[in-house]
PDB file of all heavy atoms in Angstrom:
ATOM      1  N   ILE C  58     -65.688 115.175 195.367  1.00  0.00           N
ATOM      2  CA  ILE C  58     -66.168 115.250 196.752  1.00  0.00           C
ATOM      3  C   ILE C  58     -66.753 116.601 197.134  1.00  0.00           C
ATOM      4  O   ILE C  58     -67.587 116.671 198.037  1.00  0.00           O
ATOM      5  CB  ILE C  58     -65.038 114.878 197.739  1.00  0.00           C
ATOM      6  CG1 ILE C  58     -63.790 115.717 197.475  1.00  0.00           C
ATOM      7  CG2 ILE C  58     -64.726 113.390 197.670  1.00  0.00           C
ATOM      8  CD1 ILE C  58     -62.662 115.486 198.462  1.00  0.00           C
ATOM      9  N   LEU C  59     -66.351 117.690 196.472  1.00  0.00           N
ATOM     10  CA  LEU C  59     -66.872 119.005 196.821  1.00  0.00           C
ATOM     11  C   LEU C  59     -68.126 119.374 196.036  1.00  0.00           C
ATOM     12  O   LEU C  59     -68.621 120.504 196.148  1.00  0.00           O
ATOM     13  CB  LEU C  59     -65.790 120.073 196.593  1.00  0.00           C
ATOM     14  CG  LEU C  59     -64.494 119.907 197.397  1.00  0.00           C
ATOM     15  CD1 LEU C  59     -63.561 121.084 197.174  1.00  0.00           C
ATOM     16  CD2 LEU C  59     -64.782 119.727 198.881  1.00  0.00           C
ATOM     17  N   SER C  60     -68.638 118.432 195.267  1.00  0.00           N
ATOM     18  CA  SER C  60     -69.841 118.658 194.471  1.00  0.00           C
ATOM     19  C   SER C  60     -71.072 118.115 195.189  1.00  0.00           C
ATOM     20  O   SER C  60     -70.988 117.152 195.948  1.00  0.00           O
ATOM     21  CB  SER C  60     -69.691 117.978 193.110  1.00  0.00           C
ATOM     22  OG  SER C  60     -70.927 117.963 192.417  1.00  0.00           O
ATOM     23  N   LEU C  61     -72.224 118.736 194.937  1.00  0.00           N
ATOM     24  CA  LEU C  61     -73.471 118.187 195.472  1.00  0.00           C
ATOM     25  C   LEU C  61     -73.817 116.858 194.803  1.00  0.00           C
ATOM     26  O   LEU C  61     -74.487 116.017 195.406  1.00  0.00           O
ATOM     27  CB  LEU C  61     -74.616 119.182 195.266  1.00  0.00           C
ATOM     28  CG  LEU C  61     -74.683 120.356 196.259  1.00  0.00           C
ATOM     29  CD1 LEU C  61     -75.713 121.371 195.796  1.00  0.00           C
ATOM     30  CD2 LEU C  61     -74.990 119.864 197.663  1.00  0.00           C
ATOM     31  N   ASP C  62     -73.369 116.674 193.582  1.00  0.00           N
ATOM     32  CA  ASP C  62     -73.627 115.426 192.846  1.00  0.00           C
ATOM     33  C   ASP C  62     -72.323 114.944 192.216  1.00  0.00           C
ATOM     34  O   ASP C  62     -72.061 115.175 191.038  1.00  0.00           O
ATOM     35  CB  ASP C  62     -74.690 115.654 191.767  1.00  0.00           C
ATOM     36  CG  ASP C  62     -76.018 116.090 192.355  1.00  0.00           C
ATOM     37  OD1 ASP C  62     -76.614 115.285 193.098  1.00  0.00           O
ATOM     38  OD2 ASP C  62     -76.442 117.235 192.100  1.00  0.00           O
ATOM     39  N   PRO C  63     -71.496 114.260 192.997  1.00  0.00           N
ATOM     40  CA  PRO C  63     -70.166 113.851 192.513  1.00  0.00           C
ATOM     41  C   PRO C  63     -70.236 112.908 191.326  1.00  0.00           C
ATOM     42  O   PRO C  63     -71.094 112.031 191.261  1.00  0.00           O
ATOM     43  CB  PRO C  63     -69.546 113.143 193.724  1.00  0.00           C
ATOM     44  CG  PRO C  63     -70.330 113.621 194.899  1.00  0.00           C
ATOM     45  CD  PRO C  63     -71.719 113.868 194.401  1.00  0.00           C
ATOM     46  N   GLU C  64     -69.323 113.127 190.392  1.00  0.00           N
ATOM     47  CA  GLU C  64     -69.145 112.182 189.300  1.00  0.00           C
ATOM     48  C   GLU C  64     -68.179 111.086 189.760  1.00  0.00           C
ATOM     49  O   GLU C  64     -67.295 111.343 190.574  1.00  0.00           O
ATOM     50  CB  GLU C  64     -68.573 112.908 188.084  1.00  0.00           C
ATOM     51  CG  GLU C  64     -69.473 114.013 187.567  1.00  0.00           C
ATOM     52  CD  GLU C  64     -68.862 114.727 186.373  1.00  0.00           C
ATOM     53  OE1 GLU C  64     -68.075 114.092 185.650  1.00  0.00           O
ATOM     54  OE2 GLU C  64     -69.170 115.910 186.180  1.00  0.00           O
ATOM     55  N   PRO C  65     -68.328 109.879 189.240  1.00  0.00           N
ATOM     56  CA  PRO C  65     -67.442 108.775 189.662  1.00  0.00           C
ATOM     57  C   PRO C  65     -66.061 108.868 189.024  1.00  0.00           C
ATOM     58  O   PRO C  65     -65.648 108.006 188.264  1.00  0.00           O
ATOM     59  CB  PRO C  65     -68.195 107.533 189.190  1.00  0.00           C
ATOM     60  CG  PRO C  65     -68.986 108.007 188.018  1.00  0.00           C
ATOM     61  CD  PRO C  65     -69.378 109.427 188.322  1.00  0.00           C
ATOM     62  N   LEU C  66     -65.379 109.978 189.305  1.00  0.00           N
ATOM     63  CA  LEU C  66     -64.049 110.202 188.731  1.00  0.00           C
ATOM     64  C   LEU C  66     -63.079 110.590 189.830  1.00  0.00           C
ATOM     65  O   LEU C  66     -63.276 111.606 190.496  1.00  0.00           O
ATOM     66  CB  LEU C  66     -64.092 111.331 187.693  1.00  0.00           C
ATOM     67  CG  LEU C  66     -64.979 111.126 186.470  1.00  0.00           C
ATOM     68  CD1 LEU C  66     -65.067 112.428 185.681  1.00  0.00           C
ATOM     69  CD2 LEU C  66     -64.453 110.016 185.585  1.00  0.00           C
ATOM     70  N   PRO C  67     -62.010 109.887 190.048  1.00  0.00           N
ATOM     71  CA  PRO C  67     -61.687 108.575 189.464  1.00  0.00           C
ATOM     72  C   PRO C  67     -62.317 107.421 190.226  1.00  0.00           C
ATOM     73  O   PRO C  67     -62.164 106.274 189.873  1.00  0.00           O
ATOM     74  CB  PRO C  67     -60.158 108.542 189.606  1.00  0.00           C
ATOM     75  CG  PRO C  67     -59.896 109.339 190.840  1.00  0.00           C
ATOM     76  CD  PRO C  67     -60.935 110.418 190.882  1.00  0.00           C
ATOM     77  N   TRP C  68     -63.029 107.727 191.333  1.00  0.00           N
ATOM     78  CA  TRP C  68     -63.695 106.688 192.105  1.00  0.00           C
ATOM     79  C   TRP C  68     -64.916 107.309 192.766  1.00  0.00           C
ATOM     80  O   TRP C  68     -65.047 108.522 192.882  1.00  0.00           O
ATOM     81  CB  TRP C  68     -62.755 106.066 193.139  1.00  0.00           C
ATOM     82  CG  TRP C  68     -61.968 107.063 193.931  1.00  0.00           C
ATOM     83  CD1 TRP C  68     -60.865 107.745 193.519  1.00  0.00           C
ATOM     84  CD2 TRP C  68     -62.224 107.501 195.256  1.00  0.00           C
ATOM     85  NE1 TRP C  68     -60.409 108.582 194.505  1.00  0.00           N
ATOM     86  CE2 TRP C  68     -61.215 108.451 195.588  1.00  0.00           C
ATOM     87  CE3 TRP C  68     -63.177 107.195 196.219  1.00  0.00           C
ATOM     88  CZ2 TRP C  68     -61.162 109.097 196.825  1.00  0.00           C
ATOM     89  CZ3 TRP C  68     -63.122 107.822 197.456  1.00  0.00           C
ATOM     90  CH2 TRP C  68     -62.123 108.752 197.746  1.00  0.00           C
ATOM     91  N   ILE C  69     -65.844 106.495 193.164  1.00  0.00           N
ATOM     92  CA  ILE C  69     -67.097 106.973 193.736  1.00  0.00           C
ATOM     93  C   ILE C  69     -66.871 107.434 195.170  1.00  0.00           C
ATOM     94  O   ILE C  69     -66.228 106.754 195.962  1.00  0.00           O
ATOM     95  CB  ILE C  69     -68.169 105.876 193.689  1.00  0.00           C
ATOM     96  CG1 ILE C  69     -68.440 105.485 192.224  1.00  0.00           C
ATOM     97  CG2 ILE C  69     -69.451 106.332 194.362  1.00  0.00           C
ATOM     98  CD1 ILE C  69     -69.364 104.298 192.073  1.00  0.00           C
ATOM     99  N   ALA C  70     -67.379 108.587 195.512  1.00  0.00           N
ATOM    100  CA  ALA C  70     -67.252 109.121 196.862  1.00  0.00           C
ATOM    101  C   ALA C  70     -68.513 109.904 197.208  1.00  0.00           C
ATOM    102  O   ALA C  70     -69.231 110.373 196.321  1.00  0.00           O
ATOM    103  CB  ALA C  70     -66.019 110.022 196.962  1.00  0.00           C
ATOM    104  N   PRO C  71     -68.809 110.063 198.492  1.00  0.00           N
ATOM    105  CA  PRO C  71     -69.978 110.841 198.883  1.00  0.00           C
ATOM    106  C   PRO C  71     -69.742 112.338 198.677  1.00  0.00           C
ATOM    107  O   PRO C  71     -68.605 112.810 198.645  1.00  0.00           O
ATOM    108  CB  PRO C  71     -70.137 110.517 200.369  1.00  0.00           C
ATOM    109  CG  PRO C  71     -68.756 110.193 200.827  1.00  0.00           C
ATOM    110  CD  PRO C  71     -68.100 109.509 199.659  1.00  0.00           C
ATOM    111  N   SER C  72     -70.824 113.068 198.548  1.00  0.00           N
ATOM    112  CA  SER C  72     -70.762 114.522 198.453  1.00  0.00           C
ATOM    113  C   SER C  72     -70.555 115.110 199.840  1.00  0.00           C
ATOM    114  O   SER C  72     -71.375 114.914 200.735  1.00  0.00           O
ATOM    115  CB  SER C  72     -72.078 115.056 197.866  1.00  0.00           C
ATOM    116  OG  SER C  72     -72.223 116.438 198.120  1.00  0.00           O
ATOM    117  N   TRP C  73     -69.450 115.819 200.030  1.00  0.00           N
ATOM    118  CA  TRP C  73     -69.251 116.493 201.310  1.00  0.00           C
ATOM    119  C   TRP C  73     -70.351 117.524 201.581  1.00  0.00           C
ATOM    120  O   TRP C  73     -70.921 117.524 202.671  1.00  0.00           O
ATOM    121  CB  TRP C  73     -67.889 117.157 201.343  1.00  0.00           C
ATOM    122  CG  TRP C  73     -66.723 116.238 201.453  1.00  0.00           C
ATOM    123  CD1 TRP C  73     -66.695 114.876 201.290  1.00  0.00           C
ATOM    124  CD2 TRP C  73     -65.366 116.623 201.741  1.00  0.00           C
ATOM    125  NE1 TRP C  73     -65.430 114.399 201.444  1.00  0.00           N
ATOM    126  CE2 TRP C  73     -64.593 115.443 201.732  1.00  0.00           C
ATOM    127  CE3 TRP C  73     -64.751 117.841 201.993  1.00  0.00           C
ATOM    128  CZ2 TRP C  73     -63.221 115.467 201.971  1.00  0.00           C
ATOM    129  CZ3 TRP C  73     -63.388 117.868 202.238  1.00  0.00           C
ATOM    130  CH2 TRP C  73     -62.631 116.681 202.240  1.00  0.00           C
TER     131      TRP C  73
END
Side-chain angles (χ1 to χ4, degrees):
I58 53 176
L59 300 185
S60 169
L61 281 171
D62 299 296
E64 299 179 28
L66 298 171
W68 46 282
I69 299 173
S72 163
W73 288 13

